[in-house]
Amino acid sequence: MAANILIVEDEASILELIALNINQAGFNPIRAINAEYANNLVNEKIPDLIILDWMLPGMNGIEFLKRLRGNSLTKKIPVIILTAKSEEDNKVLGLDTGADDYLTKPFSPRELIARIKALLRGRSPELINEPITISKLKLNPETCEVEFDNKLIKVSPTDFKLLHFFMKNSEIVFSRNQILDKVWGRTSDVDYRTVDVHIKRLRECLADSGKSKLIHTIRGFGYKFSEK
């Protein structure tokens, strides 16, 4: 699942440049031209990260950041401040107010994306669509491909999501209900037996590569993905 990134920027050209680069990086950009509109969007759905311009019309970025940090539902959202202010005191104020990172305009879009990934990697690594390799089994979220020894392994879209979940959470034991929640979603009407069916299918897909044993059955609880 792609991370939802809220961009709060009143300059249309900068807003669209950031949104374009975020989209190309595999994330979902959400646009807001001022803090008031951004606040409404946050109340509807909490984003995974916010890119926040300091100099906004009406409520400025620092005031909006204070509001975010004062709300128990939004206080932990990673925030990157963007500003033309390069003085040290302004950087300190932004960070002291609760910003997680700081970029001075003009900035490199590549650097911004790198900083976004660094923050998400620390807070929500499951939102980073980077290839994962475990025991020579490689999964690429961007291409939805699974490989072993440079040979493609065919899996269904659902089984790919299941394998992706396991590989990014290796060594952790999950119950069937937890797997249902994370892979199928809370609103799904499927039952826990569906997990067993897909586990069996996934093991069959991995059998030729000799990697089916990476999926361990934990009796009385559920499953885990492990090299051990």
Side-chain angles (χ1 to χ4, degrees):
M1 181 176 63
N4 293 312
I5 299 179
L6 175 60
I7 313 160
V8 192
E9 168 62 66
D10 64 317
E11 294 188 42
S13 59
I14 297 177
L15 176 63
E16 290 307 316
L17 175 64
I18 294 172
L20 175 63
N21 280 272
I22 283 175
N23 183 263
Q24 290 178 342
F27 304 124
N28 178 37
I30 303 169
R31 300 165 176 82
I33 59 172
N34 55 55
E36 288 79 5
Y37 182 51
N39 190 59
N40 292 334
L41 292 175
V42 169
N43 288 332
E44 291 176 6
K45 185 175 182 179
I46 296 177
D48 299 297
L49 184 143
I50 296 176
I51 298 170
L52 179 60
D53 184 34
W54 183 309
M55 299 299 290
L56 293 169
M59 185 193 309
N60 66 36
I62 291 297
E63 292 171 344
F64 182 47
L65 181 55
K66 289 179 180 177
R67 179 175 295 191
L68 291 170
R69 294 304 182 235
N71 185 326
S72 61
L73 296 177
T74 60
K75 66 181 182 180
K76 293 185 178 181
I77 300 174
V79 175
I80 299 175
I81 287 280
L82 300 180
T83 181
K85 297 176 179 288
S86 59
E87 292 83 357
E88 182 179 350
D89 287 349
N90 290 315
K91 294 181 180 180
V92 171
L93 176 58
L95 295 171
D96 282 349
T97 304
D100 297 274
D101 205 347
Y102 191 109
L103 270 180
T104 303
K105 298 177 182 178
F107 56 87
S108 160
R110 288 181 62 189
E111 182 180 1
L112 175 60
I113 296 302
R115 293 186 182 224
I116 289 171
K117 288 183 176 181
L119 281 175
L120 290 177
R121 192 177 292 113
R123 303 286 186 89
S124 306
E126 71 275 8
L127 298 174
I128 302 294
N129 286 330
E130 295 179 335
I132 306 170
T133 301
I134 296 177
S135 189
K136 298 183 180 180
L137 186 69
K138 181 179 180 180
L139 180 145
N140 190 332
E142 291 190 354
T143 61
C144 293
E145 293 178 338
V146 180
E147 294 181 6
F148 176 74
D149 197 22
N150 294 321
K151 295 179 181 179
L152 284 177
I153 298 174
K154 292 184 178 180
V155 296
S156 72
T158 300
D159 292 339
F160 180 88
K161 287 175 62 179
L162 178 60
L163 181 60
H164 188 198
F165 170 73
F166 274 136
M167 291 183 70
K168 69 188 180 186
N169 295 287
S170 64
E171 308 300 333
I172 301 174
V173 180
F174 292 97
S175 70
R176 290 170 175 82
N177 284 335
Q178 287 174 322
I179 296 170
L180 278 174
D181 183 26
K182 297 296 185 181
V183 177
W184 279 266
R186 294 182 181 181
T187 59
S188 174
D189 58 359
V190 299
D191 61 34
Y192 71 90
R193 288 171 293 186
T194 300
V195 174
D196 296 332
V197 171
H198 282 275
I199 292 289
K200 182 176 182 295
R201 282 175 39 177
L202 186 54
R203 281 172 169 160
E204 290 172 352
C205 292
L206 299 176
D208 288 344
S209 65
K211 298 302 176 181
S212 60
K213 293 182 179 180
L214 290 172
I215 304 174
H216 299 256
T217 300
I218 309 301
R219 291 188 180 279
F221 195 79
Y223 299 96
K224 77 170 180 178
F225 190 92
S226 174
E227 293 183 89
K228 300 175 183 178

